[in-house]
Amino acid sequence: MEKWSLMTITVLLALTVRWAVSLGSYSGAGKPPMYGDYEAQRHWQEVTYNLPIRQWYFNTSDNNLLYWGLDYPPLTAYHSFMCAYIAKLINPDWIALHTSRGYESQPHKLFMRTTVFVADLLVYIPAVILYCFSLKETSTKKKASICALCILLYPGLILIDHGHFQYPLSLGFALWGVLYLSYDWDLLGSVAFCLALNYKQMELYHSLPFFCYLLGKCFKKGLKGKGLVLLTKIAGTVVVCFAVCWLPFCTDMEQIMQVLRRLFPIDRGLFEACMFSSPPPRLANIWCSLSVLIKIKNIVSPQTQLKLSFAVTFLSLLPTCIKLTVQPSLRGFKFALVSCALSFFLFSFQVHEKSILLVSIPVCLIINEIPFMATWFLLVSTFSMLPLLLKDGLLLAYAVTMLAFLSACVASFSIFEKTSAEDLQLKPFSLSLKGRVSWFKSFPKIVRSLFLLSVTLMGILSLMSAAVHPPQRLPDLFSVSVSIISCLHFLLFLVYFNVVILWDSKNSRSQKKIS
């Protein structure tokens, strides 16, 4: 009972922070003609409630796809329809066809914010709580609550979901998938991840670790016996899940192809148009950072851009996927979720600032194993979205939640005392060097100094972005600086996570349990 009371306090604190952030502004508030993501979600409710399913993804006189047309999988559309049904009962004007465009009012804001709270309470928060209770390292009555508190206070997700405006459902479903797999409930884990993927196609960032981990388990069980049975069951489960989600759109092939075209607009080329036009990009991935010096869009054709992006992304995640398939372990699976998602974020095409959350949530899952590096990464990931958050008027919320999160991690995990090679999971790598790198002895001190330098730099850039006017000749100096500095951090983190994965000796021991 005591550990549940501690967890209740943790959840109440997390909800209080979310409520405080939700009182502020949201994406595109009072900014016609397109407004922002808040209006996009409202507009999808308008479209799904008033139009037949066959028109949801098609451009018609009643559904202008250039004005926030649906570009997410069917589960998002069904969720929008459910919210619209409730909205209709409260105030039909909120979703009236055509006339509700850009609708803004306090009651409607309260309704929309409440729908996010409900999604948090029903899907995301329960998954976090049960995950923390499932960890062996958090078996004591306080540790699970401490771990859950730090995860639930992660500022990036709070600011995007309850500030900017977004639903945590795809990430929540993915968390349920990880939780089920941790209990060896492979079929339920497959169902949960299928729901995540059918809510947002960006969950493809996590698809390879799920696939390789489950395939590796089947190999270890033997493809002539139990492994083949498990593989057949998983394949059947995935097919049934997709069939149920897509059933209303399977009336003809044109319906299916139109939905796929909306989900994967490859015709736009490697990059979203806004990333390489004026002003310069505000995204912390490698292509946008390079574009400051090299105008890739002007010298490389769209087809070549796509091939280049695919090749670099594939090569960057290949070693991790091979290791996970050959040596499947739950620990390796969680680290692979981080590494593969980060590779997708850095090197794939049509990436958004918010996509860094697809990396951050898996990092939250290993915060108990590498609290120092996880805290560092989660701070940088939130910082990388600073231009977007400033645009939405979330400066105060950004500053307070960042400080609260850092304080919680320092107090809960004593992160500055966990910077040795062993604490950072680099012991096998350091042993492989066999004394050839002399500075490795002072590694903890170096890492702490780099962390403090990084946090100081982020703090200074945050203050300058908010309070100082950039030079007229360089109006985007601060936003571009934020993107480039964040990108450099992410590249170093990618190297770090791959070193941990590839030199991990624990995987070879833990995979025996799977066999």
Side-chain angles (χ1 to χ4, degrees):
M1 286 297 293
E2 185 179 349
K3 70 177 182 179
W4 280 109
S5 63
L6 285 171
M7 190 60 75
T8 301
I9 295 172
T10 295
V11 172
L12 289 175
L13 180 58
L15 289 175
T16 301
V17 174
R18 283 159 167 75
W19 171 76
V21 171
S22 71
L23 294 176
S25 184
Y26 51 82
S27 172
K31 296 178 182 177
M34 293 299 291
Y35 301 93
D37 281 8
Y38 176 94
E39 167 61 11
Q41 297 285 351
R42 189 216 58 78
H43 180 65
W44 295 342
Q45 295 174 20
E46 171 194 344
V47 167
T48 54
Y49 188 86
N50 291 288
L51 300 181
I53 289 181
R54 63 179 179 275
Q55 294 184 24
W56 286 0
Y57 291 91
F58 280 89
N59 193 55
T60 67
S61 57
D62 290 326
N63 185 22
N64 182 6
L65 293 182
L66 295 178
Y67 184 81
W68 299 117
L70 259 171
D71 52 7
Y72 285 128
L75 216 56
T76 290
Y78 304 149
H79 177 232
S80 295
F81 177 80
M82 289 172 59
C83 292
Y85 186 84
I86 299 171
K88 178 77 172 181
L89 297 175
I90 301 172
N91 188 342
D93 292 341
W94 293 350
I95 58 165
L97 191 62
H98 302 307
T99 59
S100 63
R101 180 173 293 193
Y103 191 98
E104 292 178 317
S105 70
Q106 277 302 120
H108 184 252
K109 177 184 175 182
L110 177 62
F111 167 76
M112 294 290 280
R113 293 297 198 194
T114 302
T115 61
V116 180
F117 266 90
V118 171
D120 244 344
L121 284 169
L122 293 182
V123 179
Y124 181 74
I125 291 178
V128 171
I129 294 171
L130 293 176
Y131 172 79
C132 292
F133 279 143
S134 74
L135 297 173
K136 292 180 181 179
E137 299 88 344
T138 61
S139 56
T140 60
K141 56 188 176 183
K142 289 184 179 179
K143 287 184 178 180
S145 298
I146 289 172
C147 184
L149 177 64
C150 291
I151 294 175
L152 292 175
L153 286 183
Y154 167 55
L157 191 65
I158 294 174
L159 293 168
I160 292 300
D161 287 354
H162 298 273
H164 176 82
F165 199 89
Q166 182 175 277
Y167 292 100
L169 289 174
S170 65
L171 294 171
F173 288 137
L175 268 181
W176 279 103
V178 175
L179 180 64
Y180 287 138
L181 292 188
S182 69
Y183 285 105
D184 287 325
W185 298 343
D186 298 327
L187 298 186
L188 284 176
S190 301
V191 170
F193 185 68
C194 284
L195 293 176
L197 191 54
N198 278 287
Y199 192 88
K200 280 192 177 179
Q201 66 270 35
M202 282 83 77
E203 279 297 328
L204 284 169
Y205 284 31
H206 300 146
S207 59
L208 283 176
F210 271 90
F211 174 79
C212 292
Y213 176 65
L214 291 172
L215 183 63
K217 287 186 72 172
C218 294
F219 285 154
K220 290 299 176 183
K221 290 176 181 292
L223 286 183
K224 292 183 179 180
K226 293 181 179 180
L228 181 60
V229 174
L230 178 60
L231 183 62
T232 303
K233 288 180 178 179
I234 292 172
T237 300
V238 171
V239 170
V240 170
C241 285
F242 270 81
V244 171
C245 289
W246 285 73
L247 188 61
F249 301 94
C250 294
T251 54
D252 60 71
M253 185 56 66
E254 181 57 27
Q255 276 278 346
I256 297 174
M257 294 307 297
Q258 176 61 13
V259 177
L260 291 175
R261 281 192 290 268
R262 292 296 300 164
L263 302 188
F264 305 103
I266 297 175
D267 293 341
R268 299 178 189 173
L270 176 57
F271 313 99
E272 291 281 7
C274 63
M275 291 182 183
F276 283 81
S277 58
S278 182
R282 298 174 179 177
L283 176 65
N285 81 344
I286 191 68
W287 308 118
C288 290
S289 297
L290 284 175
S291 72
V292 176
L293 301 175
I294 306 170
K295 301 302 178 185
I296 300 175
K297 189 176 182 181
N298 297 334
I299 61 176
V300 180
S301 68
Q303 303 295 338
T304 306
Q305 292 169 19
L306 192 59
K307 293 175 183 177
L308 176 65
S309 173
F310 175 81
V312 177
T313 304
F314 178 75
L315 290 174
S316 67
L317 51 79
L318 185 61
T320 295
C321 291
I322 292 175
K323 177 75 181 284
L324 183 61
T325 306
V326 175
Q327 295 181 354
S329 71
L330 185 62
R331 183 175 183 276
F333 168 59
K334 290 188 285 188
F335 274 88
L337 285 172
V338 176
S339 177
C340 290
L342 189 52
S343 290
F344 270 103
F345 178 82
L346 285 169
F347 305 119
S348 64
F349 66 100
Q350 295 180 0
V351 177
H352 193 278
E353 301 105 306
K354 295 179 294 183
S355 298
I356 193 61
L357 297 178
L358 292 158
V359 190
S360 300
I361 298 306
V363 171
C364 288
L365 301 183
I366 55 176
I367 195 170
N368 62 300
E369 295 188 48
I370 47 169
F372 180 84
M373 295 301 284
T375 301
W376 192 355
F377 181 91
L378 294 171
L379 290 172
V380 175
S381 67
T382 305
F383 170 73
S384 72
M385 297 184 287
L386 180 62
L388 177 66
L389 299 173
L390 290 177
K391 184 180 176 183
D392 292 339
L394 295 170
L395 173 63
L396 179 60
Y398 163 81
V400 172
T401 53
M402 285 279 273
L403 289 172
F405 174 73
L406 178 58
S407 301
C409 291
V410 171
S412 302
F413 294 111
S414 303
I415 60 173
F416 293 113
E417 298 174 10
K418 298 180 179 179
T419 56
S420 67
E422 188 173 358
D423 289 324
L424 300 181
Q425 310 291 328
L426 293 175
K427 188 73 172 179
F429 176 69
S430 65
L431 291 175
S432 69
L433 296 177
K434 296 180 180 178
R436 283 176 287 183
V437 182
S438 59
W439 55 262
F440 218 90
K441 295 179 180 179
S442 57
F443 184 71
K445 186 177 180 180
I446 293 173
V447 170
R448 285 194 296 268
S449 299
L450 288 174
F451 175 83
L452 294 174
L453 177 63
S454 170
V455 171
T456 302
L457 184 58
M458 288 190 287
I460 291 172
L461 257 179
S462 297
L463 285 173
M464 294 182 70
S465 298
V468 179
H469 291 288
Q472 289 186 349
R473 292 189 301 110
L474 301 169
D476 299 286
L477 174 64
F478 298 139
S479 61
V480 171
S481 298
V482 168
S483 299
I484 293 175
I485 289 171
S486 300
C487 180
L488 292 174
H489 276 83
F490 292 147
L491 285 170
L492 293 175
F493 279 117
L494 180 64
V495 173
Y496 165 75
F497 285 120
N498 275 281
V499 167
V500 172
I501 292 167
L502 298 178
W503 269 266
D504 185 16
S505 58
K506 294 181 182 179
N507 280 353
S508 58
R509 294 196 297 270
S510 60
Q511 69 170 324
K512 293 178 182 178
K513 298 177 183 179
I514 295 174
S515 302

